[in-house]
Amino acid sequence: MFNTEWKNLGVVAGLSLSLIAAGCGQNEAQSQSVSEQMDYTITGIEAGAGQTETNEQVIAEYNSLAGWEQQTASTGAMLTELGKAIENDEPIIVAAWSPHFMFAKWDLKYLEDPKGTFGGAEHITTIVRKGLKDDMPKAYTILDRIQWELSEMESSLLKAQEEELDLAEVAQQWVGENQETVAKWTEGVEPVDGTPIELAVTPWDTEKFSANAAKVVLEQQGFDVTLTTVDPAIMFEAISSGDADASLSPWMPSTHGAFYAEYEGEFEDLGANLTGAKIGLAVPAYMEINSLEDLEPAE
Ligand code: PBE
């Protein structure tokens, strides 16, 4: 008898303890700041991305981000986390950039950056190895002319996402549908017969699109084009050492500014192939914060 009562009591005590624990958990989540709910963690992208460095600078420069960490993995992993958080109406802060389909797919907002650490507008520039102008003037001329409107780039990236096409396919279609523009890029340039040329490309959608479109255009002119995918640091090194001929991938002046400065003078910059790009930290629009300064330092 005594034993049974004791056991029952145990069950009741156990239940109330878990009820109390559950209650606490809920109250805690309600009273937690949004920064605490995010575990003072920014969902970043690839460790080798230019933006990963810039995000670290932002963490170092904002008092509101003292003690925060950046979690790096890949763009794909970041997008998965972002999608999950939005599905569950949870707070999340991610490394974001435009052009990118994430802004069309979800309702997101960049957090204001009053210190301007991310810089203002970025452009994507075309760089070539020294000597390309003399060795391969035809390729040089075409590369110098290649550029996109922001809206063209955005609709190409969105098309790839929505129709589940890879960027090489979308680039091929774009060239097919924009032969008038392409004719301007190649105007007056005599075709060649299989001259090899190597383009270095970084592994993000904008760059995959631009490099693949350049590849198709150069191939139409008779070049034999190789694309090599590398991290931004290797891209600058490859062009500076002459291992690769050109790249349409550098983001300036902030994202790849440090690499650019390291190799400045060892490559030639042909100017923007796209203007109006941007990088920053973004959150889903349902979050109440608007600025990096609305975050709270980790204790
Ligand atoms: N990004 C997209 C790249 C460049 C293009 C901003 C993620 C980066 O190196 O950070």
Side-chain angles (χ1 to χ4, degrees), residues 45 48-52 75 97 202 204 206-207 232 249 251 255-256 279:
I45 51 170
Q51 191 174 350
T52 302
T75 298
W97 61 96
T202 59
W204 293 283
T206 14
E207 289 63 42
S249 298
W251 279 50
T255 315
H256 297 148
I279 65 168

Side-chain angles (χ1 to χ4, degrees), residues 236-255:
F236 280 96
E237 196 201 305
I239 305 299
S240 300
S241 65
D243 282 349
D245 296 300
S247 179
L248 293 87
S249 298
W251 279 50
M252 289 299 291
S254 284
T255 315

Side-chain angles (χ1 to χ4, degrees), residues 32-43 65-71 91-93 287 295-299:
Q32 266 181 347
S33 71
V34 78
S35 298
E36 203 174 349
Q37 286 171 39
M38 293 190 284
D39 204 14
Y40 307 101
T41 303
I42 292 166
T43 306
L65 286 167
W68 277 63
E69 291 202 359
Q70 172 176 211
Q71 180 188 308
I92 186 166
I93 175 166
M287 285 177 67
L295 294 162
E296 285 176 11
E299 274 123 353

